[in-house]
Amino acid sequence: MIKFLRSPWLLLLLWPLLLRAEPAFYQVEKGAQTLWLLGSVHAGHASLYPLPKAIDEAWQQSRQLVVEVNLNQITPGDLAEMARLTRLPDGQQLADVLPAALYAKTQTAAARLGVPIAQLAPLQPWYAALALSQAAIGQSGFDPALGVDSHFLAQATDAKRPIKGLEGFTEQLGYLASVSAHQNAMLESTLDELDDFKQSFTEVLNAWQAGDETHLSELLKEEMGPQELQEWLEQKLLAERNARWLTQLPGLESGSFIVVGSLHLYGPKGLLAGLAERGYRIERLSPPATTPG
């Protein structure tokens, strides 16, 4: 889906940052409302935890968790809609809708990752790309259950703390499914990433842990695939959803702890810029990343 930078020495450059910095974490205030905002990575490993003291202290004070989607509230109707959005029409198979060369490439990647091609056969190409990405995450030693959003969902569930989703499960799936015009490009771009997925995702995790927002954004945005796919990603998955979320944030209960994908925070159409435009005072509670001398 997103093609990452591949410089093998980036891990060495990032190591000093890990010693001096923490994940970017914000307190935003306006009037009597205080919110905390943390960018997430959606998979991780045990070394991410425990999280830094500033994050844990804010979490202990918080009154509710706010995430992109409350996965604890998926209904049978949501699952039925998921099947409709993610599967090809009856009678069609992935081999029927993909160019022969792209299907062969998909078969090769699936075999390497241990994913039966029959499992992918009824799926829309965009969802086959996500399935292969999930398999690559597991094979590389990362775990979606140890992603930052999953971590706080589990914490909130255990503590019986209220959980609010900024969008519904099928609403989020609808955004993803809207890639349909570019889904072959999305699948091809995903397949191109898989060979060095572990190194690429490790770089992303290290930049997140270091609180290096600039480098993290570069890693996540660099070479997003063909221009039309890049434009779709930036407009549909980021800008449009951010705009909808920003209408909800002023109505949140003070003390809400917000965890969303890291890319949603940054840039001129990011949540931080949008909150600043709406008169919020923004304070970074974690020390910023510094470049080694």
Side-chain angles (χ1 to χ4, degrees):
M1 217 169 22
I2 298 174
K3 200 168 183 179
F4 300 114
L5 294 172
R6 294 177 166 83
S7 301
W9 36 264
L10 274 177
L11 295 180
L12 296 177
L13 292 181
L14 282 169
W15 177 247
L17 300 180
L18 293 175
L19 301 178
R20 299 207 290 262
E22 297 176 358
F25 179 55
Y26 297 90
Q27 180 172 292
V28 296
E29 295 179 303
K30 184 177 181 182
Q33 186 191 44
T34 297
L35 308 173
W36 291 287
L37 181 58
L38 178 64
S40 172
V41 282
H42 297 310
H45 46 62
S47 67
L48 293 182
Y49 305 99
L51 293 170
K53 182 179 178 181
I55 297 174
D56 183 63
E57 288 181 347
W59 170 247
Q60 296 304 325
Q61 298 176 55
S62 67
R63 301 180 65 85
Q64 73 170 343
L65 174 66
V66 179
V67 288
E68 295 180 26
V69 173
N70 183 359
L71 296 178
N72 293 347
Q73 292 185 338
I74 296 176
T75 67
D78 288 331
L79 295 178
E81 182 66 4
M82 178 181 179
R84 186 187 72 80
L85 289 170
T86 62
R87 299 175 74 86
L88 291 164
D90 288 344
Q92 285 191 352
Q93 299 269 302
L94 199 58
D96 302 326
V97 300
L98 292 181
L102 181 54
Y103 182 71
K105 195 173 178 180
T106 303
Q107 285 181 299
T108 300
R112 188 170 71 250
L113 292 168
V115 179
I117 194 65
Q119 183 177 316
L120 301 179
L123 303 182
Q124 293 279 357
W126 70 268
Y127 198 64
L130 291 186
L132 290 171
S133 294
Q134 287 294 101
I137 286 172
Q139 193 176 87
S140 300
F142 304 109
D143 187 351
L146 293 174
V148 178
D149 44 355
S150 296
H151 168 79
F152 281 106
L153 272 168
Q155 293 278 311
T157 301
D158 290 345
K160 296 182 171 51
R161 196 162 304 179
I163 302 169
K164 175 180 173 57
L166 291 169
E167 58 195 17
F169 179 69
T170 53
E171 183 182 4
Q172 185 175 87
L173 276 177
Y175 276 111
L176 292 169
S178 70
V179 74
S180 57
H182 316 297
Q183 61 180 332
N184 285 6
M186 177 178 174
L187 176 57
E188 182 122 40
S189 182
T190 298
L191 295 173
D192 289 343
E193 295 166 14
L194 295 179
D195 287 341
D196 53 2
F197 179 89
K198 183 173 184 177
Q199 176 187 308
S200 300
F201 197 69
T202 299
E203 292 172 9
V204 168
L205 284 180
N206 282 346
W208 180 85
Q209 280 187 287
D212 191 341
E213 302 160 302
T214 300
H215 190 57
L216 179 61
S217 294
E218 289 172 353
L219 287 168
L220 293 173
K221 286 187 173 182
E222 183 73 17
E223 300 178 22
M224 283 183 175
Q227 183 65 28
E228 70 273 13
L229 180 59
Q230 179 178 340
E231 290 174 357
W232 174 82
L233 286 164
E234 292 181 345
Q235 179 59 34
K236 201 73 178 177
L237 285 194
L238 294 175
E240 285 190 20
R241 294 167 72 209
N242 286 349
R244 290 172 65 90
W245 297 351
L246 282 165
T247 65
Q248 299 180 52
L249 299 190
L252 293 179
E253 180 180 8
S254 185
S256 293
F257 191 100
I258 305 166
V259 182
V260 297
S262 290
L263 262 185
H264 288 282
L265 270 58
Y266 309 120
K269 295 183 180 179
L271 295 181
L272 291 172
L275 287 166
E277 289 172 2
R278 287 159 176 77
Y280 280 83
R281 184 176 71 84
I282 299 172
E283 178 186 2
R284 178 167 171 160
L285 298 181
S286 56
T290 57
T291 304

